[in-house]
Amino acid sequence: MNDTLLPGLYIVATPIGNLQDVSRRQEAVLRQADIIAAEDSRVTAKLLNHLEIRKPITAYHDHSADAVRAKLVERMGDEAVALVSDAGTPLISDPGYKLVRDARAAGRLVTTIPGPCAAVAALTLAGLPTDRFLFAGFLPSKAKARADTIAEFGAVRATLLFYESGPRLGKSLQALADGLGDREAAVTREISKAYEETVTGRLSDLVARYADAAPKGEIVIVVGPPGDAAPAGDADIDAALAAALERLPPGKAAREVAKALNMASDGLYERAMALKAGE
Ligand code: SAM
């Protein structure tokens, strides 16, 4: 690594819990950058203290005023600007994409210093297929929006990754079981920290496991692709239809459930009508 950096934007990943995960290259870029654009300057100050780096930090969010972004892009013309988020890879459920977009539009050098990302780390822990995966960020917190979002993923033949927090875990697992069927899944928690834990099982097992006590810490839910699920039984179909009927008319509920359970919709409409009639 050169002693000085070319002007431009350096996207620098940082640890997701274990400070020993800082790479030599990440440390060198943070040390040599002229300025660090950070999601939360207090969080980044702790990392810089640990590395014994003294450096100006400026706050940056994608919802920062356009003028703030424009000023940073201007500075990239003759300075090295390092972008970090509170933890992990910037831009991944974190600020940065608008800064990258505008830096590129202005012809600035844009480069990344890769490192930890909770989604990829969770994928390596879950023991579920890794050949195709879909990162879905955080599920919406309102029930209808959450169920609608999950329904969009029902037919996707890929392992699904969701970011989550302890207090919301139970509701999200239940909604995933309702919307996707009883697939293989994993709850990964506190990755790279002292209490790292991965619990695997069917979604129904995980719902039961976390029903009484919300776990502490940071969480990634990993859900296997539809082919891994046991064929849905009548009870699964009724449960999924009942959940869908709370939001949708019978025709749409039948189509959504058919997609989520990866089955033909024949007969589901009649069953949805019967459930609606209370039979
Ligand atoms: N940019 C980060 C990355 O690259 O993973 C993600 C930032 S997002 C705002 C924070 C979420 O990432 C947490 O709510 C949790 O879902 C997940 N996460 C971050 N660190 C984690 C860890 N050590 N173990 C499990 N999940 C983690």
Side-chain angles (χ1 to χ4, degrees):
M1 159 90 34
N2 294 330
D3 278 351
T4 51
L5 298 174
L6 291 171
L9 175 61
Y10 293 75
I11 303 152
V12 183
T14 58
I16 55 169
N18 190 327
L19 288 178
Q20 295 192 53
D21 288 340
V22 178
S23 75
R24 289 186 191 174
R25 196 161 160 247
Q26 287 155 6
E27 182 175 347
V29 168
L30 291 176
R31 203 173 289 289
Q32 291 167 8
D34 296 295
I35 181 167
I36 296 176
E39 186 184 0
D40 182 332
S41 43
R42 285 161 309 176
V43 175
T44 297
K46 282 188 200 150
L47 175 70
L48 295 187
N49 279 342
H50 169 78
L51 299 172
E52 298 181 346
I53 295 174
R54 313 255 169 278
K55 187 80 44 174
I57 302 176
T58 186
Y60 176 76
H61 274 272
D62 279 336
H63 57 255
S64 296
D66 288 350
V68 172
R69 189 160 47 248
K71 180 81 193 143
L72 277 171
V73 172
E74 187 191 320
R75 290 187 69 166
M76 288 168 205
D78 50 17
E79 289 180 296
V81 177
L83 172 71
V84 298
S85 57
D86 287 355
T89 300
L91 284 84
I92 307 302
S93 286
D94 268 338
Y97 108 84
K98 289 182 180 172
L99 191 62
V100 171
R101 178 195 65 191
D102 290 4
R104 287 205 175 283
R108 303 296 187 226
L109 168 81
V110 178
T111 188
T112 192
I113 319 298
C117 174
V120 173
L123 187 64
T124 66
L125 290 169
L128 291 166
T130 55
D131 52 334
R132 266 188 178 202
F133 57 92
L134 187 151
F135 171 64
F138 289 93
L139 284 167
S141 46
K142 295 214 167 101
K144 178 170 182 334
R146 185 168 55 216
D148 289 347
T149 302
I150 291 170
E152 284 174 28
F153 300 130
V156 175
R157 304 200 68 78
T159 292
L160 307 173
L161 298 158
F162 301 92
Y163 280 166
E164 201 39 275
S165 66
R168 296 179 5 145
L169 179 66
K171 281 190 179 157
S172 290
L173 287 171
Q174 185 63 64
L176 288 164
D178 292 342
L180 300 175
D182 203 12
R183 297 190 192 178
E184 289 288 349
V187 171
T188 62
R189 202 165 64 79
E190 296 288 88
I191 299 168
S192 79
K193 304 186 202 176
Y195 296 103
E196 175 177 315
E197 177 187 65
T198 298
V199 179
T200 60
R202 296 262 169 207
L203 278 168
S204 57
D205 303 326
L206 298 173
V207 168
R209 157 91 189 230
Y210 293 107
D212 295 332
K216 291 200 165 59
E218 300 192 280
I219 293 167
V220 184
I221 304 174
V222 190
V223 183
D228 279 354
D234 288 347
D236 299 321
I237 295 170
D238 279 4
L241 279 174
L245 282 168
E246 283 176 19
R247 298 174 288 109
L248 300 170
K252 281 193 174 162
R255 280 198 295 280
E256 180 179 297
V257 170
K259 219 169 155 190
L261 299 183
N262 200 26
M263 59 191 291
S265 60
D266 304 355
L268 284 187
Y269 176 70
E270 286 73 18
R271 187 66 197 137
M273 290 297 283
L275 286 175
K276 200 171 168 63
E279 291 166 21

